[in-house]
């Protein structure tokens, strides 16, 4: 049987140390990432967002009844309408300046290229 020399033992120790170092770094990196994820989940939970394996749930402090829901929906539609070109007859003026103004087309009937005034 051949005798092993001290270089073989040194190579074995260095190889096992290198592999152990890789495992150590991997385990610590996994712990750091898990800690960051848990910290983020905690901060989101404090803000009312709960992240779980099933998905995301949002906690709200307010409860809307039907009347409040309809009011909020109508406000949204009014804001969208006022922001559109249909809500602003004078496109250069801000939306507040056109409230209560009559359109320049009221009282006119458009016929082809010509228009007649109906207020006669």
């Amino acid at each position: 049987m051949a005798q092993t020399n001290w270089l073989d033992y040194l190579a074995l120790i260095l190889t096992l140390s290198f592999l152990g170092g890789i495992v150590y770094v991997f385990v610590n990196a996994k712990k750091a990432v898990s800690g960051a994820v848990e910290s983020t989940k905690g901060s989101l939970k404090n803000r009312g967002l709960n992240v779980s394996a099933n998905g995301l749930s949002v906690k709200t402090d307010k409860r809307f009844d039907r009347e409040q829901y309809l009011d909020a929906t109508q406000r949204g539609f009014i804001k969208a309408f006022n922001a559109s070109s249909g809500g602003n007859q004078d496109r250069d003026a801000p939306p507040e300046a056109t409230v209560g103004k009559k359109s320049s087309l009221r009282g006119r009937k458009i016929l082809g290229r010509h228009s007649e005034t109906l207020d006669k």
Side-chain angles (χ1 to χ4, degrees):
M1 197 161 184
Q3 187 176 14
T4 58
N5 61 13
W6 63 275
L7 286 176
D8 292 334
Y9 290 120
L10 182 63
L12 177 65
I13 290 172
L14 287 175
T15 303
L16 292 176
S17 299
F18 180 73
L19 292 176
I22 289 175
V23 170
Y24 178 77
V25 167
F26 179 74
V27 168
N28 282 335
K30 185 177 177 185
K31 284 182 183 179
V33 169
S34 295
V37 167
E38 290 303 319
S39 172
T40 303
K41 281 184 182 181
S43 67
L44 288 173
K45 193 168 189 171
N46 290 339
R47 291 177 30 193
L49 301 171
N50 188 14
V51 181
S52 67
N54 295 332
L56 177 73
S57 63
V58 179
K59 177 186 172 192
T60 59
D61 294 333
K62 293 184 178 181
R63 294 282 182 197
F64 284 133
D65 61 0
R66 180 171 168 70
E67 188 68 29
Q68 289 172 331
Y69 173 75
L70 290 175
D71 288 344
T73 304
Q74 288 173 354
R75 277 194 306 273
F77 278 121
I78 296 298
K79 285 181 183 179
F81 180 73
N82 286 337
S84 70
S85 61
N88 297 327
Q89 298 300 327
D90 185 7
R91 293 184 185 200
D92 296 331
E96 296 81 26
T98 61
V99 174
K101 268 190 168 180
K102 289 188 176 182
S103 171
S104 61
L105 295 178
R106 291 201 182 168
R108 292 184 177 251
K109 183 177 180 183
I110 307 293
L111 300 171
R113 293 184 185 181
H114 306 291
S115 64
E116 298 177 21
T117 303
L118 297 176
D119 295 336
K120 291 181 184 179

